[in-house]
Amino acid sequence: MARRKIIAGNWKMNMTPSEAVELVNTLKPLVVTDDADVVFCVPAIDIIPAMEAAKGTNIQIGAENMYYEEKGAYTGEISPGMLTDAGVKYVIIGHSERREYFAETDETVNKKVLKAFEHEITPIICCGESLTQREQGITIDWIRQQIKIAFLNVTAAQAATAVVAYEPIWAIGTGKTATTEQAQEVCKAIRDCIAEIYDEATAEAIRIQYGGSVNAATAPELFGQPDIDGGLVGGASLKPDFGKIVNYK
């Protein structure tokens, strides 16, 4: 069974609510496709207006983060219930920027993943290595550890619906892209790891994205790889070029 591609934009800390509406309206006609799921993961304050602007289109609105408690004294956090009530179906979990700047760990990523599944939100689980780790030759070991902890206590049925985003940290926002071979190698290693944890069927079902300076020029070759099922796109998702990435063929 061929896996359906999923191409998600990660807006990061960009776009005011009014700018978000303008961007959705600009991109609407450019990202029309029957061949892929298209998701815009936007800042929390933009979710409602972006959702309104995207009504009736093929665009789904996702969140960039979520807390692992239902409610309570967690000032500044967003709960899974808040997201589902707003109509959110996807959430990015464990992005390298969250890990680096906000002290997220493999363990907190796992808690968030479990909570997302509990609320039937599809997690886009991020993993990736630093330049030092790649140079030391520990990329695959590092990624396997991130995956194994992220999927702790996740059932095979849940895992099959998850999305994993492999983003080499050294290629995020730097203009550097992993070679197609490097990207495919790690995405295959992720799929192999899922097969070890669960089984071949689960590994075949899970969708694995590549992220890290994806653009209209690099998308066709990257997305053509057997283990790459789309992309998590940063800066390019804020521009009309995102339409070319979605319609990469």
Side-chain angles (χ1 to χ4, degrees):
M1 181 189 72
R3 290 178 298 273
R4 185 172 168 79
K5 292 279 191 276
I6 174 164
I7 299 167
N10 174 14
W11 287 15
K12 308 193 179 187
M13 195 176 73
N14 294 295
M15 299 289 142
T16 64
S18 57
E19 287 169 343
V21 170
E22 198 178 323
L23 183 58
V24 171
N25 286 332
T26 299
L27 290 176
K28 261 188 223 181
L30 306 178
V31 298
V32 175
T33 178
D34 294 326
D35 298 330
D37 292 332
V38 178
V39 186
F40 292 179
C41 294
V42 306
I45 198 167
D46 294 343
I47 289 172
I48 303 287
M51 196 75 76
E52 285 296 312
K55 259 192 185 147
T57 73
N58 64 312
I59 299 166
Q60 299 182 72
I61 302 299
E64 295 180 16
N65 187 31
M66 177 198 87
Y67 199 51
Y68 52 76
E69 297 289 355
E70 297 289 338
K71 57 184 175 183
Y74 305 103
T75 302
E77 290 294 332
I78 306 283
S79 75
M82 293 172 185
L83 294 183
T84 51
D85 191 66
V88 167
K89 297 284 194 294
Y90 291 90
V91 60
I92 297 172
I93 293 179
H95 191 278
S96 61
E97 290 156 4
R98 297 291 319 168
R99 296 176 192 251
E100 183 181 354
Y101 306 134
F102 305 103
E104 291 202 9
T105 64
D106 290 337
E107 287 71 24
T108 57
V109 166
N110 176 241
K111 287 182 178 181
K112 291 182 178 188
V113 168
L114 292 170
K115 189 54 74 172
F117 279 125
E118 206 179 297
H119 285 262
E120 297 182 352
I121 303 170
T122 300
I124 299 174
I125 304 161
C126 297
C127 61
E129 84 283 10
S130 67
L131 188 56
T132 304
Q133 288 158 344
R134 177 160 281 277
E135 285 172 347
Q136 288 170 338
I138 62 168
T139 295
I140 303 294
D141 294 336
W142 181 262
I143 301 290
R144 282 170 59 85
Q145 177 176 307
Q146 288 184 314
I147 293 298
K148 284 185 173 184
I149 297 174
F151 282 88
L152 196 62
N153 298 321
V154 172
T155 68
Q158 290 171 331
T161 68
V163 177
V164 174
Y166 165 57
E167 296 197 301
I169 298 164
W170 48 271
I172 298 174
T174 60
K176 290 181 183 173
T177 313
T179 66
T180 306
E181 292 73 26
Q182 286 171 326
Q184 163 60 20
E185 179 193 22
V186 179
C187 290
K188 182 181 188 306
I190 292 167
R191 202 173 302 284
D192 290 345
C193 187
I194 294 293
E196 284 174 35
I197 300 169
Y198 301 103
D199 50 45
E200 286 296 335
T202 307
E204 276 303 306
I206 199 167
R207 295 189 288 179
I208 303 171
Q209 298 174 312
Y210 172 75
S213 301
V214 175
N215 58 45
T218 58
E221 198 178 331
L222 283 165
F223 299 170
Q225 297 307 301
D227 290 293
I228 300 179
D229 306 310
L232 183 58
V233 183
S237 70
L238 301 171
K239 301 169 186 161
D241 252 21
F242 190 56
K244 294 178 187 165
I245 296 173
V246 168
N247 292 287
Y248 61 92
K249 288 176 183 171

